[in-house]
Amino acid sequence: MSLKKKLLLPVFLWAFGFGALQAATPETLVIISNGEKIGILTGVTDGQRVEVDYYVDDNGRGPKHHESILLGEGDIPVSWSVAGTSLMGANVSESYNWQGGVATWSSQADEGRLKLEAPKLYVVNDGSSWALGVYARALLKTKERRLAVLPGGELSLTRIRDMELGEGKAETRVTVYRLAGIDLTAAYIMLDEKERLFASFSPDSVLIREGYEAEADKLLLLGSELSAELAEERQKALAYNFDVPVRIRNVHVFDPESGKLGPLSTVVVMRHRITAVIPVGEDAPGPEDQVIIDGEGGTLVPGLHDMHSHTSRSSGLYYLAAGVTSVRDQGNNNAFLLDLLRRLEAGESAGPRITYNGFLEGRSPYSASHGIIAETIEEAIEAVSWYADRGYWQIKIYNSMNPDWVATIARAAKKRGMGLTGHVPAFGTPDRTIIDGYEDIAHINQLMLGWLLEPGEDTRTPLRLRAMARGAYLDLDTPKVHKTIDLMKERNIALDTTAVILERLMLSRAGTVADGDKPYLDHMPIGYQRYRKRTFVPLKSAQDDEEYQKGFQKILETIKLLHDNNIRLLPGTDDGTGFTVLRELELYTMAGLSPAESLRSATIGCAEYLGTDADLGTIERGKLADFFLIPGDPTKDISEIRKARMVMRGGTIYFPSEIYDALSITPFSTKPAITVPGLAE
């Protein structure tokens, strides 16, 4: 039986059991990423009742569940249930009902009960993309296309344009909308003339009605264009550039080399570069032709790095607001990334500096769906050349790559002036990847799995994350651990840690806010808040819970062990919010590093590794003006870095409070006093 038939079978069985649906026609949409079909979404509507099946398999991960929806007046659901599994295989059981003037809901994130004379639109927590069509149709029935929603927040719908897709008899007129208020980024969707969901799309993936898959590339381009237009609007509104010196007074400068704060000083910036760092007693009276910013005794910290980013159009502002001014992109949609780089260089988009790596995957049933997938060693070598010609810094290898090809790929990359990083290919070992030519390993779990897995276990599946529970019983003082660390020391191998993403997965518990999310989550849109309050790993017993807890503590112990052995730690997140970079550094301190050591790793340490330390990593005369202002002393409390008041990226000024306002996030700080020639603020 084909995959598609298997996926549709639950729908037809449901229809068989409820005769009214036997004549109903399924609406089927397919999910496409990097030209690969990775999922399917099927809905059957019978009057006011809808049955939905959702299946995604992307690199061994993806939600798989069934939804039942009952629509009431104004196409507002009065009942909605979801049952199945989520991204990493955890069980999902969600329900919402409005009956007799009372709304009740229960999900992984929360539960509630509220008296309501009429039903309100409910934002489902573990739903599929079918929900986008439900929300849009409800919003279209309102005058202002805005609705307050349960359990909180507000959704809005903005009409963008009309267009036609398909050819001949298949040509369909659609309307493009921007749906905002659910998550960190707005969703772009298409409705047909009957207001049925035709597509949703971003710059790197597409959900589209079956039969129109040939239009996917057109939608990817449209997603890129629309997100670029929005990014350009925000850049114009939020970025401040001056052709006169900017004088930042009354600040202490954090020096990552010494780990200390300097005396109260003035830092002067002219366009892109720092022109002076002057102790307050030696600073001249304020010239009238300069921009003056009062740091009020706060601290300037060199811009942070995220060494494991998958950059998106929207991630740029989130990064900058968190003081992250440089990232290493560890694999992306190549066309999108190259276009984004051009826009960043032209000043059209806001975002950190990007060192970009080429994603190289092998072909298997578990292949990731972006970058370049090589089916032969010859294709892998061609991919290396393709990336080298376009200025990529390293090749990043992924799970399905044949481990026997790694040494050959490493030689080809080195010949073209590039390095090699990535996951440990399935059925390989960290030790072998080091010997074969890796310069750093991506993810601490990829390193530790070499000590936890049995021969033949397949890391192309979610096992590469679930097996970290075995860390509860790992002895770090064993020959196999010492052998790997000795190899890393001998060959100067770094580790891109991404401990924060493992904390999120291993310690996530339904209905609770994880420690790493507590400082910011209640500032965020309702959909994102609820998304974070869920269990991402299967927990079948109290023992499972305990093993994940202890396994994560072993990760922290491993970070300290590596640090004590002078292994370079590269803070990375596998995320794009900026908040996770800040948490990664907090985790370093929890592991036993001092706040100053943690900050060094994310500033000059990363710049040294990337070879950019002549321009970045410290705040000195002649260097690029990449830094951020916080009110307190991060050497005493690393969490002070969460309170950025101003960020400079190459002399361009951003105020996080203004960024967060634009992104519908409650700000975390106020901007400092600024005086502009001819205009006082």
Side-chain angles (χ1 to χ4, degrees):
M1 184 182 293
S2 70
L3 172 63
K4 178 180 173 183
K5 288 181 179 178
K6 286 181 181 178
L7 296 173
L8 295 181
L9 185 59
V11 176
F12 291 126
L13 290 177
W14 188 90
F16 186 77
F18 298 83
L21 274 182
Q22 291 182 33
T25 301
E27 297 174 69
T28 302
L29 300 98
V30 295
I31 304 165
I32 300 172
S33 179
N34 199 35
E36 307 273 333
K37 292 184 181 180
I38 63 170
I40 190 166
L41 174 64
T42 302
V44 178
T45 302
D46 179 43
Q48 296 299 97
R49 184 168 293 279
V50 188
E51 299 295 320
V52 179
D53 281 283
Y54 189 44
Y55 183 100
V56 178
D57 189 347
D58 184 16
N59 186 27
R61 298 173 290 184
K64 301 163 183 66
H65 62 239
H66 181 81
E67 299 176 55
S68 295
I69 307 169
L70 180 63
L71 300 171
E73 186 176 349
D75 277 347
I76 302 289
V78 295
S79 175
W80 199 329
S81 65
V82 185
T85 57
S86 62
L87 176 71
M88 300 304 302
N91 288 330
V92 168
S93 180
E94 180 175 4
S95 64
Y96 164 79
N97 284 282
W98 178 85
Q99 189 174 10
V102 177
T104 58
W105 64 92
S106 176
S107 74
Q108 282 201 78
D110 51 22
E111 58 183 32
R113 177 183 174 89
L114 189 64
K115 290 184 178 181
L116 295 171
E117 292 185 4
K120 290 177 70 173
L121 184 62
Y122 174 74
V123 175
V124 67
N125 188 36
D126 274 296
S128 67
S129 299
W130 188 271
L132 300 176
V134 174
Y135 303 152
R137 285 189 293 276
L139 285 159
L140 284 171
K141 289 179 168 55
T142 68
K143 183 177 180 181
E144 297 182 348
R145 295 183 179 173
R146 305 182 76 89
L147 274 175
V149 296
L150 291 175
E154 180 181 82
L155 301 189
S156 64
L157 190 70
T158 303
R159 184 172 184 151
I160 304 298
R161 68 179 65 166
D162 296 324
M163 58 189 297
E164 288 79 32
L165 290 178
E167 297 180 356
K169 293 182 179 180
E171 184 176 270
T172 300
R173 186 170 181 81
V174 296
T175 302
V176 181
Y177 295 94
R178 183 188 298 124
L179 178 61
I182 305 171
D183 211 336
L184 299 185
T185 58
Y188 288 100
I189 66 172
M190 286 180 169
L191 302 183
D192 64 17
E193 291 182 303
K194 295 181 180 179
E195 297 182 353
R196 308 302 298 175
L197 182 65
F198 186 90
S200 69
F201 55 93
S202 69
D204 54 15
S205 65
V206 169
L207 170 79
I208 192 166
R209 186 170 294 173
E210 188 176 45
Y212 291 83
E213 292 90 336
E215 304 290 336
D217 286 345
K218 184 183 294 184
L219 297 197
L220 287 171
L221 179 60
L222 179 59
S224 183
E225 290 174 351
L226 293 177
S227 61
E229 289 174 6
L230 183 60
E232 189 169 351
E233 290 174 12
R234 286 174 169 168
Q235 170 74 336
K236 290 178 180 177
L238 299 170
Y240 295 82
N241 290 286
F242 299 100
D243 286 326
V244 298
V246 176
R247 211 169 189 89
I248 307 164
R249 289 181 159 163
N250 299 319
V251 291
H252 299 277
V253 173
F254 170 68
D255 175 18
E257 297 284 20
S258 68
K260 298 179 180 179
L261 302 190
L264 208 59
S265 300
T266 294
V267 175
V268 185
V269 174
M270 181 63 184
R271 297 192 181 94
H272 305 298
R273 294 193 179 269
I274 300 164
T275 58
V277 179
I278 310 167
V280 162
E282 302 173 19
D283 190 16
E288 295 181 359
D289 67 340
Q290 297 189 11
V291 174
I292 307 295
I293 296 174
D294 188 353
E296 299 175 352
T299 303
L300 284 187
V301 181
L304 304 176
H305 291 69
D306 184 348
M307 294 295 280
H308 197 121
S309 166
H310 296 284
T311 315
S312 68
R313 190 83 66 188
S314 61
S315 66
L317 284 171
Y318 285 100
Y319 272 130
L320 292 176
V324 180
T325 57
S326 295
V327 301
R328 178 176 64 165
D329 190 289
Q330 281 280 56
N332 217 308
N333 176 292
N334 292 319
F336 161 74
L337 182 62
L338 292 172
D339 177 67
L340 177 62
L341 290 167
R342 178 186 63 79
R343 294 178 185 274
L344 286 170
E345 290 171 3
E348 297 172 5
S349 293
R353 304 175 192 280
I354 301 176
T355 298
Y356 49 110
N357 287 353
F359 191 93
L360 183 55
E361 170 71 305
R363 174 65 68 185
S364 84
Y366 302 97
S367 298
S369 58
H370 61 274
I372 296 176
I373 301 174
E375 301 195 26
T376 66
I377 184 61
E378 290 77 17
E379 290 182 1
I381 301 308
E382 288 176 7
V384 170
S385 294
W386 191 93
Y387 284 126
D389 289 344
R390 289 158 179 80
Y392 285 73
W393 192 66
Q394 287 176 311
I395 296 296
K396 180 193 174 182
I397 285 177
Y398 209 58
N399 302 309
S400 293
M401 180 56 66
N402 186 333
D404 293 337
W405 298 355
V406 171
T408 302
I409 293 169
R411 287 193 295 271
K414 185 176 181 180
K415 187 176 180 180
R416 294 300 306 270
M418 291 190 295
L420 195 64
T421 182
H423 287 206
V424 175
F427 314 114
T429 67
D431 294 2
R432 183 179 178 183
T433 62
I434 292 169
I435 293 169
D436 284 345
Y438 272 36
E439 294 174 334
D440 69 85
I441 293 174
H443 307 296
I444 194 168
N445 61 305
Q446 291 286 319
L447 176 71
M448 295 177 68
L449 288 172
W451 312 327
L452 297 172
L453 294 182
E454 298 296 329
E457 289 192 294
D458 192 347
T459 55
R460 297 173 300 179
T461 71
L463 177 68
R464 65 183 178 273
L465 299 168
R466 295 176 187 170
M468 294 306 295
R470 302 178 192 176
Y473 311 107
L474 175 65
D475 181 357
L476 292 174
D477 188 18
T478 56
K480 60 183 177 182
V481 174
H482 292 311
K483 180 184 176 184
T484 302
I485 291 178
D486 288 344
L487 265 175
M488 296 179 78
K489 291 164 65 176
E490 175 190 332
R491 304 200 177 206
N492 197 28
I493 304 301
L495 178 68
D496 159 16
T497 49
T498 67
V500 63
I501 211 71
L502 291 164
E503 180 190 37
R504 279 186 164 177
L505 291 170
M506 297 173 70
L507 304 188
S508 59
R509 299 295 181 266
T512 66
V513 180
D515 288 344
D517 295 325
K518 285 178 180 177
Y520 73 90
L521 195 61
D522 61 354
H523 290 239
M524 308 301 284
I526 186 63
Y528 185 80
Q529 288 188 40
R530 301 184 79 213
Y531 179 78
R532 294 261 61 93
K533 299 177 188 177
R534 63 177 70 191
T535 302
F536 287 93
V537 290
L539 295 174
K540 298 178 181 178
S541 66
Q543 182 178 349
D544 288 346
D545 178 82
E546 183 180 4
E547 287 176 348
Y548 277 118
Q549 298 279 353
K550 290 182 177 179
F552 185 71
Q553 288 304 310
K554 195 68 66 174
I555 289 172
L556 297 182
E557 291 174 26
T558 302
I559 287 175
K560 184 62 163 61
L561 177 64
L562 295 169
H563 175 72
D564 289 346
N565 278 274
N566 296 314
I567 304 298
R568 188 186 294 275
L569 301 176
L570 304 173
T573 68
D574 213 1
D575 188 53
T577 63
F579 300 115
T580 42
V581 178
L582 309 179
R583 180 58 177 174
E584 184 83 350
L585 299 185
E586 289 176 340
L587 291 176
Y588 279 19
T589 64
M590 289 170 60
L593 280 70
S594 70
E597 289 171 329
S598 300
L599 285 170
R600 189 194 192 286
S601 71
T603 53
I604 191 63
C606 290
E608 289 169 346
Y609 187 72
L610 295 173
T612 59
D613 50 310
D615 275 330
L616 299 170
T618 58
I619 300 172
E620 302 177 65
R621 173 177 167 81
K623 287 197 169 186
L624 290 168
D626 282 24
F627 50 73
F628 62 106
L629 172 67
I630 58 176
D633 181 352
T635 67
K636 294 180 179 177
D637 181 1
I638 190 67
S639 296
E640 283 295 310
I641 59 177
R642 291 186 177 274
K643 304 172 184 176
R645 303 183 66 198
M646 178 201 71
V647 179
M648 267 198 180
R649 194 277 208 189
T652 299
I653 300 172
Y654 298 89
F655 298 109
S657 59
E658 294 182 349
I659 291 176
Y660 289 131
D661 275 336
L663 298 174
S664 300
I665 294 172
T666 305
F668 302 85
S669 61
T670 58
K671 72 178 186 180
I674 176 171
T675 303
V676 179
L679 178 65
E681 286 196 14

